[in-house]
PDB file of all heavy atoms in Angstrom:
ATOM      1  N   SER X  80     267.399 119.268 165.159  1.00 97.00           N
ATOM      2  CA  SER X  80     266.043 119.186 164.615  1.00 97.00           C
ATOM      3  C   SER X  80     265.637 117.740 164.330  1.00 97.00           C
ATOM      4  O   SER X  80     264.471 117.465 164.053  1.00 97.00           O
ATOM      5  CB  SER X  80     265.917 120.032 163.345  1.00 97.00           C
ATOM      6  OG  SER X  80     266.835 119.590 162.355  1.00 97.00           O
ATOM      7  N   SER X  81     266.587 116.809 164.442  1.00 97.00           N
ATOM      8  CA  SER X  81     266.277 115.392 164.218  1.00 97.00           C
ATOM      9  C   SER X  81     265.240 114.869 165.208  1.00 97.00           C
ATOM     10  O   SER X  81     264.559 113.877 164.926  1.00 97.00           O
ATOM     11  CB  SER X  81     267.543 114.540 164.336  1.00 97.00           C
ATOM     12  OG  SER X  81     268.086 114.600 165.645  1.00 97.00           O
ATOM     13  N   ILE X  82     265.091 115.526 166.343  1.00 97.00           N
ATOM     14  CA  ILE X  82     264.149 115.042 167.356  1.00 97.00           C
ATOM     15  C   ILE X  82     262.739 115.596 167.163  1.00 97.00           C
ATOM     16  O   ILE X  82     261.853 115.321 167.954  1.00 97.00           O
ATOM     17  CB  ILE X  82     264.650 115.267 168.797  1.00 97.00           C
ATOM     18  CG1 ILE X  82     264.688 116.745 169.154  1.00 97.00           C
ATOM     19  CG2 ILE X  82     266.004 114.602 169.013  1.00 97.00           C
ATOM     20  CD1 ILE X  82     264.903 116.998 170.653  1.00 97.00           C
ATOM     21  N   VAL X  83     262.538 116.388 166.099  1.00 96.00           N
ATOM     22  CA  VAL X  83     261.201 116.918 165.799  1.00 96.00           C
ATOM     23  C   VAL X  83     260.585 116.052 164.712  1.00 96.00           C
ATOM     24  O   VAL X  83     261.093 115.978 163.596  1.00 96.00           O
ATOM     25  CB  VAL X  83     261.265 118.388 165.350  1.00 96.00           C
ATOM     26  CG1 VAL X  83     259.854 118.922 165.096  1.00 96.00           C
ATOM     27  CG2 VAL X  83     261.987 119.239 166.372  1.00 96.00           C
ATOM     28  N   LEU X  84     259.488 115.397 165.050  1.00 94.00           N
ATOM     29  CA  LEU X  84     258.847 114.437 164.158  1.00 94.00           C
ATOM     30  C   LEU X  84     257.453 114.895 163.776  1.00 94.00           C
ATOM     31  O   LEU X  84     256.824 115.680 164.482  1.00 94.00           O
ATOM     32  CB  LEU X  84     258.738 113.076 164.849  1.00 94.00           C
ATOM     33  CG  LEU X  84     259.997 112.550 165.529  1.00 94.00           C
ATOM     34  CD1 LEU X  84     259.712 111.230 166.226  1.00 94.00           C
ATOM     35  CD2 LEU X  84     261.123 112.401 164.524  1.00 94.00           C
ATOM     36  N   TYR X  85     256.976 114.338 162.674  1.00 82.00           N
ATOM     37  CA  TYR X  85     255.570 114.534 162.344  1.00 82.00           C
ATOM     38  C   TYR X  85     254.737 113.843 163.401  1.00 82.00           C
ATOM     39  O   TYR X  85     255.121 112.792 163.921  1.00 82.00           O
ATOM     40  CB  TYR X  85     255.232 113.937 160.968  1.00 82.00           C
ATOM     41  CG  TYR X  85     255.771 114.723 159.807  1.00 82.00           C
ATOM     42  CD1 TYR X  85     256.687 114.158 158.936  1.00 82.00           C
ATOM     43  CD2 TYR X  85     255.363 116.034 159.573  1.00 82.00           C
ATOM     44  CE1 TYR X  85     257.181 114.875 157.854  1.00 82.00           C
ATOM     45  CE2 TYR X  85     255.855 116.752 158.510  1.00 82.00           C
ATOM     46  CZ  TYR X  85     256.763 116.171 157.650  1.00 82.00           C
ATOM     47  OH  TYR X  85     257.252 116.875 156.592  1.00 82.00           O
ATOM     48  N   LEU X  86     253.606 114.412 163.732  1.00 71.00           N
ATOM     49  CA  LEU X  86     252.714 113.814 164.723  1.00 71.00           C
ATOM     50  C   LEU X  86     252.351 112.399 164.299  1.00 71.00           C
ATOM     51  O   LEU X  86     252.017 112.156 163.141  1.00 71.00           O
ATOM     52  CB  LEU X  86     251.457 114.682 164.845  1.00 71.00           C
ATOM     53  CG  LEU X  86     250.572 114.441 166.057  1.00 71.00           C
ATOM     54  CD1 LEU X  86     251.339 114.685 167.349  1.00 71.00           C
ATOM     55  CD2 LEU X  86     249.360 115.364 165.997  1.00 71.00           C
ATOM     56  N   ASN X  87     252.461 111.457 165.231  1.00 69.00           N
ATOM     57  CA  ASN X  87     252.153 110.047 164.993  1.00 69.00           C
ATOM     58  C   ASN X  87     253.056 109.375 163.965  1.00 69.00           C
ATOM     59  O   ASN X  87     252.671 108.377 163.358  1.00 69.00           O
ATOM     60  CB  ASN X  87     250.676 109.871 164.590  1.00 69.00           C
ATOM     61  CG  ASN X  87     249.742 110.403 165.654  1.00 69.00           C
ATOM     62  OD1 ASN X  87     249.980 110.228 166.841  1.00 69.00           O
ATOM     63  ND2 ASN X  87     248.699 111.083 165.226  1.00 69.00           N
ATOM     64  N   GLU X  88     254.232 109.922 163.747  1.00 70.00           N
ATOM     65  CA  GLU X  88     255.211 109.309 162.837  1.00 70.00           C
ATOM     66  C   GLU X  88     256.488 109.058 163.618  1.00 70.00           C
ATOM     67  O   GLU X  88     256.675 109.560 164.720  1.00 70.00           O
ATOM     68  CB  GLU X  88     255.515 110.244 161.654  1.00 70.00           C
ATOM     69  CG  GLU X  88     254.334 110.533 160.776  1.00 70.00           C
ATOM     70  CD  GLU X  88     253.913 109.356 159.933  1.00 70.00           C
ATOM     71  OE1 GLU X  88     254.784 108.552 159.533  1.00 70.00           O
ATOM     72  OE2 GLU X  88     252.711 109.223 159.651  1.00 70.00           O
ATOM     73  N   ASN X  89     257.381 108.289 163.036  1.00 76.00           N
ATOM     74  CA  ASN X  89     258.658 108.028 163.679  1.00 76.00           C
ATOM     75  C   ASN X  89     259.767 108.353 162.687  1.00 76.00           C
ATOM     76  O   ASN X  89     260.580 107.515 162.318  1.00 76.00           O
ATOM     77  CB  ASN X  89     258.758 106.562 164.131  1.00 76.00           C
ATOM     78  CG  ASN X  89     259.963 106.349 165.025  1.00 76.00           C
ATOM     79  OD1 ASN X  89     260.405 107.263 165.705  1.00 76.00           O
ATOM     80  ND2 ASN X  89     260.488 105.152 165.020  1.00 76.00           N
ATOM     81  N   ASP X  90     259.779 109.617 162.240  1.00 80.00           N
ATOM     82  CA  ASP X  90     260.757 110.054 161.253  1.00 80.00           C
ATOM     83  C   ASP X  90     260.746 111.576 161.211  1.00 80.00           C
ATOM     84  O   ASP X  90     259.753 112.208 161.585  1.00 80.00           O
ATOM     85  CB  ASP X  90     260.391 109.487 159.885  1.00 80.00           C
ATOM     86  CG  ASP X  90     261.530 109.575 158.877  1.00 80.00           C
ATOM     87  OD1 ASP X  90     262.632 110.001 159.240  1.00 80.00           O
ATOM     88  OD2 ASP X  90     261.286 109.202 157.724  1.00 80.00           O
ATOM     89  N   ALA X  91     261.857 112.115 160.764  1.00 86.00           N
ATOM     90  CA  ALA X  91     261.947 113.561 160.574  1.00 86.00           C
ATOM     91  C   ALA X  91     261.273 113.932 159.241  1.00 86.00           C
ATOM     92  O   ALA X  91     261.006 113.061 158.413  1.00 86.00           O
ATOM     93  CB  ALA X  91     263.402 113.988 160.562  1.00 86.00           C
ATOM     94  N   GLY X  92     261.044 115.196 159.038  1.00 84.00           N
ATOM     95  CA  GLY X  92     260.435 115.658 157.809  1.00 84.00           C
ATOM     96  C   GLY X  92     261.412 115.715 156.657  1.00 84.00           C
ATOM     97  O   GLY X  92     262.634 115.615 156.830  1.00 84.00           O
ATOM     98  N   SER X  93     260.892 115.881 155.455  1.00 87.00           N
ATOM     99  CA  SER X  93     261.728 115.917 154.253  1.00 87.00           C
ATOM    100  C   SER X  93     262.720 117.074 154.292  1.00 87.00           C
ATOM    101  O   SER X  93     263.831 116.974 153.762  1.00 87.00           O
ATOM    102  CB  SER X  93     260.856 115.999 153.001  1.00 87.00           C
ATOM    103  OG  SER X  93     260.034 117.145 153.037  1.00 87.00           O
ATOM    104  N   GLY X  94     262.354 118.179 154.939  1.00 91.00           N
ATOM    105  CA  GLY X  94     263.263 119.318 155.052  1.00 91.00           C
ATOM    106  C   GLY X  94     264.519 118.985 155.841  1.00 91.00           C
ATOM    107  O   GLY X  94     265.595 119.518 155.574  1.00 91.00           O
ATOM    108  N   PHE X  95     264.384 118.073 156.816  1.00 95.00           N
ATOM    109  CA  PHE X  95     265.533 117.638 157.594  1.00 95.00           C
ATOM    110  C   PHE X  95     266.576 116.992 156.675  1.00 95.00           C
ATOM    111  O   PHE X  95     267.759 117.283 156.759  1.00 95.00           O
ATOM    112  CB  PHE X  95     265.078 116.649 158.680  1.00 95.00           C
ATOM    113  CG  PHE X  95     266.198 115.948 159.380  1.00 95.00           C
ATOM    114  CD1 PHE X  95     266.924 116.597 160.367  1.00 95.00           C
ATOM    115  CD2 PHE X  95     266.526 114.639 159.060  1.00 95.00           C
ATOM    116  CE1 PHE X  95     267.966 115.951 161.012  1.00 95.00           C
ATOM    117  CE2 PHE X  95     267.551 113.989 159.704  1.00 95.00           C
ATOM    118  CZ  PHE X  95     268.288 114.653 160.682  1.00 95.00           C
ATOM    119  N   TYR X  96     266.108 116.136 155.784  1.00 95.00           N
ATOM    120  CA  TYR X  96     267.031 115.450 154.873  1.00 95.00           C
ATOM    121  C   TYR X  96     267.603 116.405 153.825  1.00 95.00           C
ATOM    122  O   TYR X  96     268.777 116.306 153.474  1.00 95.00           O
ATOM    123  CB  TYR X  96     266.344 114.255 154.223  1.00 95.00           C
ATOM    124  CG  TYR X  96     265.948 113.221 155.250  1.00 95.00           C
ATOM    125  CD1 TYR X  96     264.614 113.015 155.579  1.00 95.00           C
ATOM    126  CD2 TYR X  96     266.921 112.486 155.936  1.00 95.00           C
ATOM    127  CE1 TYR X  96     264.249 112.082 156.537  1.00 95.00           C
ATOM    128  CE2 TYR X  96     266.555 111.567 156.904  1.00 95.00           C
ATOM    129  CZ  TYR X  96     265.218 111.366 157.201  1.00 95.00           C
ATOM    130  OH  TYR X  96     264.878 110.460 158.173  1.00 95.00           O
ATOM    131  N   ARG X  97     266.786 117.339 153.339  1.00 95.00           N
ATOM    132  CA  ARG X  97     267.306 118.343 152.396  1.00 95.00           C
ATOM    133  C   ARG X  97     268.413 119.163 153.054  1.00 95.00           C
ATOM    134  O   ARG X  97     269.438 119.440 152.439  1.00 95.00           O
ATOM    135  CB  ARG X  97     266.182 119.260 151.916  1.00 95.00           C
ATOM    136  CG  ARG X  97     265.385 118.690 150.762  1.00 95.00           C
ATOM    137  CD  ARG X  97     264.520 119.744 150.075  1.00 95.00           C
ATOM    138  NE  ARG X  97     263.642 120.449 150.995  1.00 95.00           N
ATOM    139  CZ  ARG X  97     262.451 120.019 151.384  1.00 95.00           C
ATOM    140  NH1 ARG X  97     261.979 118.866 150.949  1.00 95.00           N
ATOM    141  NH2 ARG X  97     261.708 120.722 152.208  1.00 95.00           N
ATOM    142  N   LEU X  98     268.186 119.551 154.309  1.00 96.00           N
ATOM    143  CA  LEU X  98     269.200 120.309 155.042  1.00 96.00           C
ATOM    144  C   LEU X  98     270.474 119.480 155.175  1.00 96.00           C
ATOM    145  O   LEU X  98     271.576 119.984 154.941  1.00 96.00           O
ATOM    146  CB  LEU X  98     268.679 120.713 156.422  1.00 96.00           C
ATOM    147  CG  LEU X  98     269.671 121.426 157.339  1.00 96.00           C
ATOM    148  CD1 LEU X  98     270.124 122.755 156.731  1.00 96.00           C
ATOM    149  CD2 LEU X  98     269.051 121.636 158.708  1.00 96.00           C
ATOM    150  N   ALA X  99     270.338 118.218 155.551  1.00 97.00           N
ATOM    151  CA  ALA X  99     271.499 117.349 155.737  1.00 97.00           C
ATOM    152  C   ALA X  99     272.290 117.203 154.433  1.00 97.00           C
ATOM    153  O   ALA X  99     273.525 117.255 154.439  1.00 97.00           O
ATOM    154  CB  ALA X  99     271.057 115.987 156.249  1.00 97.00           C
ATOM    155  N   VAL X 100     271.587 117.036 153.319  1.00 97.00           N
ATOM    156  CA  VAL X 100     272.255 116.942 152.020  1.00 97.00           C
ATOM    157  C   VAL X 100     272.937 118.268 151.701  1.00 97.00           C
ATOM    158  O   VAL X 100     274.106 118.298 151.286  1.00 97.00           O
ATOM    159  CB  VAL X 100     271.260 116.539 150.908  1.00 97.00           C
ATOM    160  CG1 VAL X 100     271.870 116.709 149.528  1.00 97.00           C
ATOM    161  CG2 VAL X 100     270.791 115.098 151.116  1.00 97.00           C
ATOM    162  N   GLY X 101     272.242 119.378 151.961  1.00 96.00           N
ATOM    163  CA  GLY X 101     272.800 120.704 151.691  1.00 96.00           C
ATOM    164  C   GLY X 101     274.041 121.008 152.512  1.00 96.00           C
ATOM    165  O   GLY X 101     274.922 121.760 152.074  1.00 96.00           O
ATOM    166  N   LEU X 102     274.129 120.418 153.690  1.00 97.00           N
ATOM    167  CA  LEU X 102     275.295 120.622 154.569  1.00 97.00           C
ATOM    168  C   LEU X 102     276.357 119.536 154.348  1.00 97.00           C
ATOM    169  O   LEU X 102     277.333 119.462 155.099  1.00 97.00           O
ATOM    170  CB  LEU X 102     274.853 120.616 156.031  1.00 97.00           C
ATOM    171  CG  LEU X 102     273.971 121.772 156.473  1.00 97.00           C
ATOM    172  CD1 LEU X 102     273.436 121.549 157.885  1.00 97.00           C
ATOM    173  CD2 LEU X 102     274.742 123.086 156.401  1.00 97.00           C
ATOM    174  N   ASN X 103     276.141 118.699 153.342  1.00 96.00           N
ATOM    175  CA  ASN X 103     277.062 117.598 153.015  1.00 96.00           C
ATOM    176  C   ASN X 103     277.215 116.610 154.161  1.00 96.00           C
ATOM    177  O   ASN X 103     278.290 116.008 154.332  1.00 96.00           O
ATOM    178  CB  ASN X 103     278.433 118.129 152.573  1.00 96.00           C
ATOM    179  CG  ASN X 103     278.353 118.911 151.283  1.00 96.00           C
ATOM    180  OD1 ASN X 103     277.708 118.473 150.336  1.00 96.00           O
ATOM    181  ND2 ASN X 103     278.967 120.078 151.257  1.00 96.00           N
ATOM    182  N   LEU X 104     276.163 116.428 154.937  1.00 97.00           N
ATOM    183  CA  LEU X 104     276.166 115.431 156.004  1.00 97.00           C
ATOM    184  C   LEU X 104     275.569 114.118 155.531  1.00 97.00           C
ATOM    185  O   LEU X 104     275.751 113.084 156.165  1.00 97.00           O
ATOM    186  CB  LEU X 104     275.360 115.947 157.206  1.00 97.00           C
ATOM    187  CG  LEU X 104     275.865 117.238 157.838  1.00 97.00           C
ATOM    188  CD1 LEU X 104     274.881 117.717 158.904  1.00 97.00           C
ATOM    189  CD2 LEU X 104     277.246 117.025 158.434  1.00 97.00           C
ATOM    190  N   LEU X 105     274.851 114.187 154.427  1.00 96.00           N
ATOM    191  CA  LEU X 105     274.157 113.038 153.857  1.00 96.00           C
ATOM    192  C   LEU X 105     274.343 113.096 152.349  1.00 96.00           C
ATOM    193  O   LEU X 105     274.272 114.181 151.755  1.00 96.00           O
ATOM    194  CB  LEU X 105     272.670 113.110 154.227  1.00 96.00           C
ATOM    195  CG  LEU X 105     271.760 111.975 153.800  1.00 96.00           C
ATOM    196  CD1 LEU X 105     272.171 110.657 154.459  1.00 96.00           C
ATOM    197  CD2 LEU X 105     270.303 112.308 154.162  1.00 96.00           C
ATOM    198  N   ALA X 106     274.610 111.954 151.738  1.00 95.00           N
ATOM    199  CA  ALA X 106     274.816 111.913 150.288  1.00 95.00           C
ATOM    200  C   ALA X 106     273.547 112.334 149.550  1.00 95.00           C
ATOM    201  O   ALA X 106     272.443 112.060 150.015  1.00 95.00           O
ATOM    202  CB  ALA X 106     275.202 110.497 149.871  1.00 95.00           C
ATOM    203  N   PRO X 107     273.707 112.985 148.405  1.00 96.00           N
ATOM    204  CA  PRO X 107     272.531 113.335 147.598  1.00 96.00           C
ATOM    205  C   PRO X 107     271.754 112.081 147.206  1.00 96.00           C
ATOM    206  O   PRO X 107     272.323 111.007 147.031  1.00 96.00           O
ATOM    207  CB  PRO X 107     273.133 114.004 146.357  1.00 96.00           C
ATOM    208  CG  PRO X 107     274.484 114.478 146.793  1.00 96.00           C
ATOM    209  CD  PRO X 107     274.952 113.466 147.808  1.00 96.00           C
ATOM    210  N   LYS X 108     270.458 112.224 147.094  1.00 95.00           N
ATOM    211  CA  LYS X 108     269.551 111.128 146.714  1.00 95.00           C
ATOM    212  C   LYS X 108     269.746 109.888 147.585  1.00 95.00           C
ATOM    213  O   LYS X 108     269.942 108.783 147.085  1.00 95.00           O
ATOM    214  CB  LYS X 108     269.715 110.790 145.242  1.00 95.00           C
ATOM    215  CG  LYS X 108     269.387 111.967 144.336  1.00 95.00           C
ATOM    216  CD  LYS X 108     269.509 111.603 142.890  1.00 95.00           C
ATOM    217  CE  LYS X 108     269.217 112.829 142.040  1.00 95.00           C
ATOM    218  NZ  LYS X 108     269.434 112.594 140.622  1.00 95.00           N
ATOM    219  N   PRO X 109     269.661 110.053 148.897  1.00 95.00           N
ATOM    220  CA  PRO X 109     269.861 108.893 149.782  1.00 95.00           C
ATOM    221  C   PRO X 109     268.712 107.906 149.671  1.00 95.00           C
ATOM    222  O   PRO X 109     267.574 108.277 149.401  1.00 95.00           O
ATOM    223  CB  PRO X 109     269.901 109.521 151.174  1.00 95.00           C
ATOM    224  CG  PRO X 109     269.087 110.777 151.042  1.00 95.00           C
ATOM    225  CD  PRO X 109     269.342 111.262 149.648  1.00 95.00           C
ATOM    226  N   THR X 110     269.027 106.645 149.914  1.00 95.00           N
ATOM    227  CA  THR X 110     268.000 105.610 149.950  1.00 95.00           C
ATOM    228  C   THR X 110     267.229 105.732 151.263  1.00 95.00           C
ATOM    229  O   THR X 110     267.675 106.420 152.194  1.00 95.00           O
ATOM    230  CB  THR X 110     268.625 104.209 149.877  1.00 95.00           C
ATOM    231  OG1 THR X 110     269.400 103.998 151.071  1.00 95.00           O
ATOM    232  CG2 THR X 110     269.483 104.042 148.635  1.00 95.00           C
ATOM    233  N   ALA X 111     266.142 105.031 151.351  1.00 93.00           N
ATOM    234  CA  ALA X 111     265.357 105.032 152.599  1.00 93.00           C
ATOM    235  C   ALA X 111     266.196 104.498 153.758  1.00 93.00           C
ATOM    236  O   ALA X 111     266.139 105.040 154.866  1.00 93.00           O
ATOM    237  CB  ALA X 111     264.090 104.208 152.418  1.00 93.00           C
ATOM    238  N   ASP X 112     266.989 103.465 153.513  1.00 95.00           N
ATOM    239  CA  ASP X 112     267.846 102.910 154.565  1.00 95.00           C
ATOM    240  C   ASP X 112     268.917 103.911 155.002  1.00 95.00           C
ATOM    241  O   ASP X 112     269.221 104.026 156.188  1.00 95.00           O
ATOM    242  CB  ASP X 112     268.511 101.611 154.112  1.00 95.00           C
ATOM    243  CG  ASP X 112     267.539 100.434 154.058  1.00 95.00           C
ATOM    244  OD1 ASP X 112     266.442 100.543 154.654  1.00 95.00           O
ATOM    245  OD2 ASP X 112     267.897  99.418 153.447  1.00 95.00           O
ATOM    246  N   GLN X 113     269.489 104.627 154.035  1.00 95.00           N
ATOM    247  CA  GLN X 113     270.502 105.637 154.373  1.00 95.00           C
ATOM    248  C   GLN X 113     269.870 106.766 155.194  1.00 95.00           C
ATOM    249  O   GLN X 113     270.477 107.245 156.150  1.00 95.00           O
ATOM    250  CB  GLN X 113     271.125 106.202 153.095  1.00 95.00           C
ATOM    251  CG  GLN X 113     272.047 105.244 152.395  1.00 95.00           C
ATOM    252  CD  GLN X 113     272.476 105.748 151.027  1.00 95.00           C
ATOM    253  OE1 GLN X 113     271.691 106.378 150.293  1.00 95.00           O
ATOM    254  NE2 GLN X 113     273.725 105.472 150.666  1.00 95.00           N
ATOM    255  N   LYS X 114     268.674 107.177 154.829  1.00 95.00           N
ATOM    256  CA  LYS X 114     267.977 108.225 155.589  1.00 95.00           C
ATOM    257  C   LYS X 114     267.723 107.767 157.021  1.00 95.00           C
ATOM    258  O   LYS X 114     267.985 108.512 157.961  1.00 95.00           O
ATOM    259  CB  LYS X 114     266.636 108.579 154.926  1.00 95.00           C
ATOM    260  CG  LYS X 114     266.748 109.406 153.686  1.00 95.00           C
ATOM    261  CD  LYS X 114     265.341 109.671 153.156  1.00 95.00           C
ATOM    262  CE  LYS X 114     265.337 110.551 151.947  1.00 95.00           C
ATOM    263  NZ  LYS X 114     263.967 110.809 151.471  1.00 95.00           N
TER     264      LYS X 114
END
Side-chain angles (χ1 to χ4, degrees):
S80 59
S81 64
I82 68 168
V83 182
L84 312 177
Y85 287 118
L86 195 60
N87 301 320
E88 297 288 328
N89 191 28
D90 195 4
S93 59
F95 170 78
Y96 297 109
R97 277 194 306 276
L98 176 62
V100 168
L102 294 172
N103 295 314
L104 300 173
L105 183 63
K108 299 182 182 175
T110 65
D112 287 344
Q113 288 171 323
K114 285 180 177 181

